[in-house]
Amino acid sequence: MKHTFLTLLFLGNLFLIQAQDISLKYGKVNEDELKMTTYTPDTSAVAVVLFEYSDSHFDFNENKGIRLITNYKTKIKILKDEGLKYVNISIPYYDSKVNSSLKEEITDLQGYVYNLENGKIIKTKLNKEYIFDEQSDENYWQKKFTFPNAKVGSVIEYKYTFCSDFIEDIPDLKTMKKIPIWHSELSLEAPEYFRYNAQAKGWDLPVFKSESGVQTISFSNGYKNEYLQAKTTKYKVIADTVKALKPETHIWCIDDYCPRIEFELNGIALPGNTYKAYAKNWVTLEQNIMADKNFGKLLEMKCPYKDDAENLKKIENKRERARKALKYVQNKISWNGNYSFSGYGTNDALKNGTGNNAQINFVLLSMLKAAGLDAYPVFISTRDNGKINTSFPSLNQINTFIIAIAETDSTYFYLDGGSPYGDINVLDIKLLSENARLFEGVAVSHWENLSNLSRNATSYLIQAKIDENGLIDGTMTIQFTGECAFEFKRSCGTLTLDELKESANNSYDIEINDFQKNDSDTLINQASAILKFNKQTTTNDDMIYFTPLIVDYMSSSPFSSPTRKYPIEFDYNNLDHFNISIKIPDDYSVSELPKSTTLVNPDNSYICRFYSSTTENTINLQFMVEKKKRLFLPEEYKDLQNFYTALISKSTEQIVLKKNK
């Protein structure tokens, strides 16, 4: 009965939208579209794509060669203020002075914004003054444009042609966006000369079909143009009332789960030529990277601090030597907060004393090598950029690099010159990639997992006493290790001492009287804090009630939703450990004390241990929570929920003190 009701509800929503007469033709906007105030299938939507068409095919041109041509057009309805960001469009494209033989360009761009004013549809053309090109780096640009007349209730539409010389890198046909889509048609038509392997990817696999067709192709035989009728295969995916690809908690990059069609070029057989297998691999990609002057050439740059690097050779311990070099370079060049793969502008970073992590890392590499260390770049994709598909080599998947230093013939430790809060094997969580390409040289590279480089722990030592009025007076010493130290140091770097104190007040639900921190660079992978605090317990006649941990550890579960569609991705493995000693008043005794217990999830990847005991008028408690894996599948969600429920229940059980008669 429930399923029948939901089906009827969906069909009713579908009918309502259809009844609003949405036009699926470019240039046709009607009053129903402009009067629409909500999108019935998803009333929370801030905007909705009314249609999206993307048609890609190959063009054979005697002057420009073979190019991939994509004709794109879309229409978007703005429903709420938050949806106005979708009227600001940015399209990346490749146009390098270094490699002028290959490029991408955007042509025939046009657009309109439609508004309903006094019962009339007002159509305003996209003005050229709101279209501009912005350079991202030496190789990439952004075509940007906006619709200044757009407002809540507006409909915008635009179209353009995207021309690319990169016939081996076919953009994915993605069927979901961050806002819902009413109707979309995405296609690629490839002539028989190009043998592609099309695969459906994503968490919900999209359904696509392939159709046979014919394309007329002209080419020159040296004397005149000739024409061929080439058979084609057209890959097409059509989708209606597609839900928004909404971000969820504990997801590094929601685009990793976007339904899409991926294309891999297997080979090429042009007329008059034999078949050529196109085996694109990581070795080929590495050769191209080394040929790029903003990467390969910079790997050979001379150290700008040669004398100081020479002095570092006196330090025998490799980790200590590398750490000295890291801190030296970071004192010379401060990080601007940006990640990059290209070293374009490294000389400017040296001169100005500020730069992105790639620029800093190239300088750091030169110093590490000059200091006698074997140091190599490690190609990665930051977590928010998505996972690297190791079986599909593409430079588009890589957006930065860090540094590996050989400790032995088979082991390495890692550094990044960017964030000043990092250390040896302690990186910004964005950089903890599972698929990292350690580049020792062309054809001698290999994959490394950076997701579990350090031991991450937070230890709490709480020494407290309770008076007869139920007021707790105590000292809490916190020791941070690994990534936990990184996060604390970052907090110390962005907050004042008063702000840190206020944050701790709110986080731990205590009243802090004194806050001392030690986040010095001299502490390798560690930091600490000492908090002196008070907390009023609950009292009733001759009884005192309080929770075992005194401070608020976890009052609510982060997994309150009844279901989960996507996997749960934690930042890193970690251990939380509490060692608590509570002295109670002499004329009170313990009436109730939570029992010692162990909580374990089914695969032993999440463990909680609780121990309690009393010695004379002192309560001794041990509480430990250890997470041993970072990724939980949706089918493990219920077990994870149950574990958190039991964990919260245990940490909030009551200790009861009773006054002696």
Side-chain angles (χ1 to χ4, degrees):
M1 184 67 184
K2 180 180 178 182
H3 295 294
T4 303
F5 173 75
L6 292 175
T7 301
L8 291 172
L9 181 63
F10 172 77
L11 292 174
N13 289 340
L14 186 63
F15 174 77
L16 285 173
I17 295 296
Q18 288 175 330
Q20 289 178 309
D21 188 26
I22 293 175
S23 172
L24 299 181
K25 292 184 178 181
Y26 186 86
K28 299 291 184 180
V29 174
N30 56 50
E31 284 193 22
D32 278 356
E33 295 168 11
L34 290 167
K35 288 180 178 179
M36 183 193 302
T37 56
T38 58
Y39 180 62
T40 309
D42 182 2
T43 56
S44 67
V46 299
V48 57
V49 176
L50 299 180
F51 69 67
E52 179 184 42
Y53 299 109
S54 178
D55 176 36
S56 298
H57 64 278
F58 291 89
D59 180 63
F60 294 76
N61 185 286
E62 184 179 354
N63 296 321
K64 295 185 177 181
I66 305 171
R67 309 187 85 194
L68 178 66
I69 308 298
T70 300
N71 295 313
Y72 181 86
K73 53 187 174 183
T74 189
K75 179 162 67 173
I76 302 172
K77 169 70 178 184
I78 309 302
L79 296 168
K80 300 179 182 179
D81 286 332
E82 299 90 335
L84 287 171
K85 63 183 178 182
Y86 294 102
V87 308
N88 301 313
I89 318 299
S90 181
I91 308 167
Y93 65 95
Y94 181 92
D95 187 6
S96 173
K97 294 180 181 178
V98 178
N99 186 5
S100 58
S101 62
L102 296 173
K103 66 182 297 186
E104 295 173 333
E105 60 181 341
I106 298 165
T107 64
D108 303 325
L109 172 63
Q110 64 169 255
Y112 296 91
V113 57
Y114 298 83
N115 289 301
L116 190 62
E117 298 178 6
N118 299 321
K120 293 183 178 181
I121 298 177
I122 306 300
K123 177 180 178 181
T124 306
K125 185 178 181 180
L126 174 63
N127 197 304
K128 289 184 178 180
E129 68 178 290
Y130 299 110
I131 305 173
F132 59 96
D133 296 275
E134 182 179 286
Q135 189 169 11
S136 303
D137 56 37
E138 194 175 38
N139 296 326
Y140 285 93
W141 294 71
Q142 299 275 343
K143 174 77 74 175
K144 293 189 174 184
F145 55 97
T146 188
F147 297 85
N149 293 341
K151 56 187 178 183
V152 174
S154 296
V155 171
I156 67 167
E157 64 176 4
Y158 59 90
K159 65 179 181 178
Y160 60 85
T161 298
F162 192 94
C163 309
S164 173
D165 294 328
F166 298 94
I167 61 172
E168 73 280 5
D169 287 330
I170 305 297
D172 298 341
L173 302 183
K174 296 183 177 182
T175 61
M176 293 183 78
K177 293 182 176 293
K178 293 180 180 179
I179 54 176
I181 302 172
W182 169 241
H183 179 77
S184 71
E185 296 182 21
L186 314 173
S187 66
L188 167 71
E189 186 172 20
E192 57 187 302
Y193 314 130
F194 300 97
R195 314 289 168 79
Y196 286 98
N197 178 33
Q199 290 185 320
K201 294 291 183 70
W203 201 248
D204 294 319
L205 295 180
V207 177
F208 70 98
K209 60 182 180 179
S210 57
E211 304 170 346
S212 298
V214 176
Q215 180 180 358
T216 301
I217 297 173
S218 67
F219 69 97
S220 174
N221 62 7
Y223 301 99
K224 63 178 181 179
N225 288 337
E226 294 189 3
Y227 297 90
L228 290 177
Q229 293 293 310
K231 295 179 181 179
T232 63
T233 300
K234 189 169 189 175
Y235 306 92
K236 191 171 187 177
V237 56
I238 299 175
D240 290 299
T241 56
V242 180
K243 295 180 180 180
L245 186 66
K246 295 182 178 180
E248 291 193 21
T249 61
H250 297 86
I251 288 286
W252 298 327
C253 179
I254 192 64
D255 282 344
D256 283 335
Y257 303 98
C258 179
R260 62 196 182 275
I261 311 299
E262 292 183 353
F263 299 94
E264 183 178 6
L265 181 60
N266 293 326
I268 301 175
L270 294 173
N273 295 275
T274 58
Y275 176 78
K276 180 182 178 182
Y278 193 89
K280 187 175 181 181
N281 53 46
W282 287 99
V283 172
T284 305
L285 183 66
E286 290 162 2
Q287 289 171 340
N288 294 335
I289 290 172
M290 286 301 293
D292 188 338
K293 72 174 186 179
N294 288 315
F295 201 96
K297 189 175 180 180
L298 286 172
L299 290 179
E300 301 171 359
M301 73 177 289
K302 293 181 180 179
C303 178
Y305 318 116
K306 186 177 180 180
D307 292 341
D308 292 307
E310 189 69 26
N311 289 332
L312 292 180
K313 290 182 178 180
K314 301 173 185 177
I315 303 174
E316 291 187 11
N317 185 281
K318 290 184 178 181
R319 293 196 174 205
E320 186 180 349
R321 197 189 318 170
R323 192 174 187 275
K324 289 282 188 182
L326 170 67
K327 297 306 176 183
Y328 182 95
V329 172
Q330 287 182 328
N331 285 331
K332 293 289 185 179
I333 311 173
S334 60
W335 184 44
N336 61 15
N338 297 322
Y339 290 102
S340 180
F341 184 72
S342 169
Y344 176 69
T346 296
N347 286 334
D348 291 335
L350 276 166
K351 182 171 62 177
N352 299 328
T354 183
N356 61 46
N357 83 311
Q359 294 163 344
I360 298 172
N361 280 337
F362 276 118
V363 176
L364 179 56
L365 269 170
S366 73
M367 189 167 193
L368 291 167
K369 292 175 182 178
L373 295 168
D374 296 323
Y376 311 100
V378 183
F379 309 154
I380 66 171
S381 170
T382 55
R383 282 179 168 177
D384 56 352
N385 189 57
K387 297 180 177 70
I388 290 179
N389 183 347
T390 59
S391 61
F392 189 69
S394 172
L395 187 58
N396 293 332
Q397 298 186 88
I398 302 169
N399 69 335
T400 191
F401 75 95
I402 62 168
I403 298 172
I405 296 99
E407 193 160 28
T408 68
D409 290 339
S410 59
T411 60
Y412 306 84
F413 58 91
Y414 301 88
L415 297 172
D416 174 55
S419 177
Y421 313 115
D423 218 310
I424 292 173
N425 286 344
V426 176
L427 311 171
D428 190 303
I429 57 174
K430 286 185 176 182
L431 305 176
L432 300 180
S433 171
E434 293 183 353
N435 297 324
R437 187 78 174 172
L438 197 157
F439 180 72
E440 293 188 57
V442 175
V444 290
S445 301
H446 51 274
W447 293 103
E448 293 286 335
N449 187 344
L450 308 181
S451 62
N452 196 27
L453 295 178
S454 62
R455 178 182 178 273
N456 312 308
T458 305
S459 298
Y460 302 84
L461 174 62
I462 300 177
Q463 296 174 307
K465 62 180 180 179
I466 304 177
D467 65 18
E468 293 185 352
N469 297 315
L471 180 67
I472 299 177
D473 180 69
T475 299
M476 178 165 62
T477 303
I478 312 174
Q479 185 72 41
F480 305 94
T481 305
E483 294 297 333
C484 302
F486 182 102
E487 294 299 323
F488 179 71
K489 288 181 179 181
R490 178 154 55 187
S491 297
C492 292
T494 55
L495 300 176
T496 65
L497 192 60
D498 286 341
E499 288 172 334
L500 281 170
K501 182 177 175 181
E502 181 64 24
S503 176
N505 268 330
N506 297 330
S507 297
Y508 297 124
D509 190 26
I510 54 179
E511 184 178 342
I512 297 174
N513 303 315
D514 184 56
F515 186 103
Q516 299 177 31
K517 64 182 179 71
N518 187 352
D519 58 336
S520 170
D521 272 349
T522 59
L523 294 174
I524 301 177
N525 297 350
Q526 292 187 338
S528 63
I530 299 176
L531 291 67
K532 293 184 178 180
F533 68 92
N534 296 120
K535 182 168 184 174
Q536 180 61 54
T537 64
T538 301
T539 59
N540 183 12
D541 296 331
D542 295 335
M543 314 291 279
I544 298 175
Y545 307 86
F546 60 96
T547 56
L549 305 186
I550 301 177
V551 299
D552 184 4
Y553 176 68
M554 187 183 298
S555 56
S556 62
S557 171
F559 306 113
S560 57
S561 176
T563 59
R564 175 84 179 193
K565 180 177 182 179
Y566 301 113
I568 299 97
E569 298 172 325
F570 288 101
D571 290 338
Y572 44 79
N573 297 344
N574 69 294
L575 169 71
D576 289 335
H577 182 254
F578 286 81
N579 187 345
I580 304 169
S581 173
I582 308 168
K583 187 175 181 180
I584 66 175
D586 291 336
D587 53 348
Y588 276 75
S589 59
V590 178
S591 175
E592 294 181 27
L593 184 67
K595 294 181 180 180
S596 299
T597 189
T598 298
L599 307 172
V600 184
N601 76 329
D603 66 352
N604 294 319
S605 60
Y606 226 146
I607 301 173
C608 172
R609 292 188 175 92
F610 177 82
Y611 303 103
S612 61
S613 64
T614 59
T615 305
E616 296 180 350
N617 66 335
T618 300
I619 300 172
N620 299 301
L621 304 167
Q622 295 277 340
F623 183 78
M624 182 274 289
V625 179
E626 184 176 15
K627 182 169 77 273
K628 297 180 180 180
K629 76 175 185 180
R630 300 168 306 283
L631 180 68
F632 291 80
L633 297 176
E635 50 265 34
E636 298 176 288
Y637 180 66
K638 194 64 181 178
D639 290 331
L640 196 62
Q641 271 191 318
N642 292 338
F643 180 84
Y644 269 80
T645 299
L647 172 64
I648 293 169
S649 176
K650 195 63 190 177
S651 66
T652 56
E653 282 186 25
Q654 293 287 303
I655 295 176
V656 181
L657 305 182
K658 185 176 181 180
K659 192 170 185 178
N660 300 326
K661 296 295 185 179

